[in-house]
Amino acid sequence: MKRRTLLASAAMGLMLASGAFAQGMDKVKACFVYVGPIGDGGWTYQHHQGALAVQEKFGDKVEIQYQENVPEGADAERVLTQMALGGCNIIFTTSFGYMDATNAVAAKFPDVKFEHATGFKRDHANVSTYNARFYEGRAVEGLIAGRMTKSNKIGYIGSFPIPEVIMGINSYYLAAKKVNPEVQLSVVWAFTWFDPAKEADSAKALIDQGVDVIASHTDSTAPLAEAAKTGGKVIGFGQASDMAVPEYMPTPRVTSIIDNWAPYYVERVGALLDGTYEQKDTWAGIGGGEVQIGEITEAIPAEVKAEAEALRDAIGAGTFHPFTGPINKQDGSPWLAEGATAPDGDLLGMGFYVEGITGDIPQ
């Protein structure tokens, strides 16, 4: 059968089943596209935990399929097409760089539901987006960094210069600066989501600059491994998952940001099963349980731990926003007035550093 005929046949079959979503389904095939391996210990691992939670919740009403290590770009479009042709009812694409591929394939398969993590394009009625307010967790890390640094030099490993990462850098720095006005931030860009060698090199570069607290926006435990080599002189944080492995506790991993995708995945698959599924855009944080702060170890003094937990709770309760003015942009121009909080639109399009951060954002 020619490929064009195959696509047409598949599309016809999906059209015949179009009413099923509104009426609910007896069984859902839920598929996941991962940018890294499920054993990365970070981002992809945590998404896969969400997939497993779906399986555990719904049992034989759900079939799970996933593919690891899918590059962002043309390869993603190929994988998504294969999944749609293979009978997936809902496909979760779990990395920012899948955005265009997700929308392109969604146009060809209008009765397959596509869910894109951290993106903003919903070009078709069958595309939803979901994200987490990682910057809220960065504020908690920043407070700890500002209190714990002895050199007054803290570091951040950036993955790619997209708004999600830039707002995390800014939030981390602002919280550190608030409790320690002498703090200086160094940023190293790894230009990868998952590459332990590059992540290790980035951590080494920061340590060579005298940094003694490192946050990272990459997916492996490599930065913690480098911090561990300093014999307690450098501390860091688990990223995306808890990373609470014995060899990194109580230091260098002193706490973590945990991306808890399970409730969202369970909700969305459940909505297909019961017929309540609708297109949506979700951006939840600490208050909604999508961003969690891992155990703060005994390496952190009790008073700093209490301060960090109070900040976590205030953010979760909505009584404090990490981006509360007065805040200027890096060039000194005003951004937020006294007491004003950042609109979501500003955060989602953030392409600037706040005042006090040195260096340029790569273009």
Side-chain angles (χ1 to χ4, degrees):
M1 184 181 289
K2 292 183 178 179
R3 181 175 180 274
R4 183 176 298 175
T5 305
L6 178 62
L7 284 168
S9 299
M12 179 61 70
L14 290 168
M15 288 174 65
L16 292 173
S18 61
F21 294 114
Q23 299 169 8
M25 302 178 67
D26 293 329
K27 185 169 184 176
V28 168
K29 186 173 182 179
C31 301
F32 298 79
V33 182
Y34 299 143
V35 72
I38 60 175
D40 68 357
W43 176 264
T44 295
Y45 170 83
Q46 204 64 24
H47 279 283
H48 192 57
Q49 294 307 297
L52 295 177
V54 170
Q55 187 72 80
E56 182 178 0
K57 172 69 175 180
F58 298 112
D60 59 7
K61 291 184 178 180
V62 172
E63 177 186 352
I64 298 296
Q65 178 184 328
Y66 64 90
Q67 187 158 336
E68 306 170 79
N69 298 309
V70 178
E72 297 170 330
D75 281 347
E77 191 164 338
R78 174 184 56 80
V79 170
L80 288 172
T81 299
Q82 290 174 341
M83 284 184 166
L85 289 171
C88 296
N89 304 118
I90 186 167
I91 302 174
F92 296 91
T93 59
T94 64
S95 190
F96 180 83
Y98 295 149
M99 182 160 57
D100 290 337
T102 298
N103 282 274
V105 178
K108 303 173 186 176
F109 298 93
D111 294 301
V112 177
K113 305 306 181 187
F114 291 82
E115 297 266 348
H116 179 228
T118 76
F120 55 86
K121 289 184 180 179
R122 295 175 298 282
D123 294 345
H124 310 284
N126 58 329
V127 178
S128 292
T129 48
Y130 61 105
N131 203 348
R133 295 180 184 269
F134 308 115
Y135 70 87
E136 295 182 346
R138 296 297 179 199
V140 178
E141 290 183 343
L143 182 151
I144 293 172
R147 289 296 191 202
M148 295 301 295
T149 178
K150 295 180 174 62
S151 65
N152 288 329
K153 295 180 179 180
I154 63 174
Y156 198 107
I157 300 172
S159 46
F160 294 97
I162 60 174
E164 170 195 320
V165 180
I166 296 168
M167 76 176 83
I169 292 169
N170 285 332
S171 179
Y172 178 69
Y173 173 74
L174 287 170
K177 189 79 170 178
K178 185 174 182 179
V179 299
N180 181 355
E182 303 303 315
V183 80
Q184 299 175 359
L185 175 67
S186 295
V187 180
V188 172
W189 293 95
F191 293 100
T192 184
W193 293 114
F194 178 77
D195 187 325
K198 288 183 179 180
E199 295 173 62
D201 287 343
S202 298
K204 290 175 187 175
L206 289 170
I207 293 168
D208 288 345
Q209 294 175 41
V211 165
D212 58 2
V213 188
I214 298 175
S216 61
H217 207 117
T218 53
D219 298 349
S220 84
T221 58
L224 289 175
E226 289 304 313
K229 295 176 183 178
T230 67
K233 295 179 181 178
V234 177
I235 63 172
F237 308 96
Q239 161 60 16
S241 69
D242 204 8
M243 296 186 179
V245 292
E247 58 264 40
Y248 299 143
M249 292 178 69
T251 184
R253 178 239 170 257
V254 295
T255 189
S256 57
I257 296 177
I258 303 169
D259 307 339
N260 181 28
W261 303 111
Y264 183 80
Y265 288 161
V266 168
E267 174 202 335
R268 298 304 273 163
V269 173
L272 273 186
L273 286 166
D274 65 23
T276 60
Y277 187 95
E278 294 179 343
Q279 184 187 40
K280 66 187 298 188
D281 175 37
T282 300
W283 196 20
I286 290 175
E290 203 156 284
V291 175
Q292 299 176 332
I293 303 300
E295 175 196 355
I296 300 174
T297 73
E298 61 266 29
I300 302 302
E303 63 273 17
V304 177
K305 178 180 179 180
E307 192 176 6
E309 290 176 340
L311 177 60
R312 175 202 65 196
D313 294 345
I315 293 171
T319 58
F320 178 77
H321 194 297
F323 290 101
T324 300
I327 302 174
N328 293 337
K329 295 183 179 181
Q330 186 184 43
D331 61 8
S333 61
W335 175 39
L336 294 175
E338 176 78 37
T341 58
D344 281 354
D346 283 13
L347 296 178
L348 291 168
M350 183 169 277
F352 61 87
Y353 284 148
V354 295
E355 189 174 44
I357 299 179
T358 58
D360 298 323
I361 297 173
Q363 300 300 315

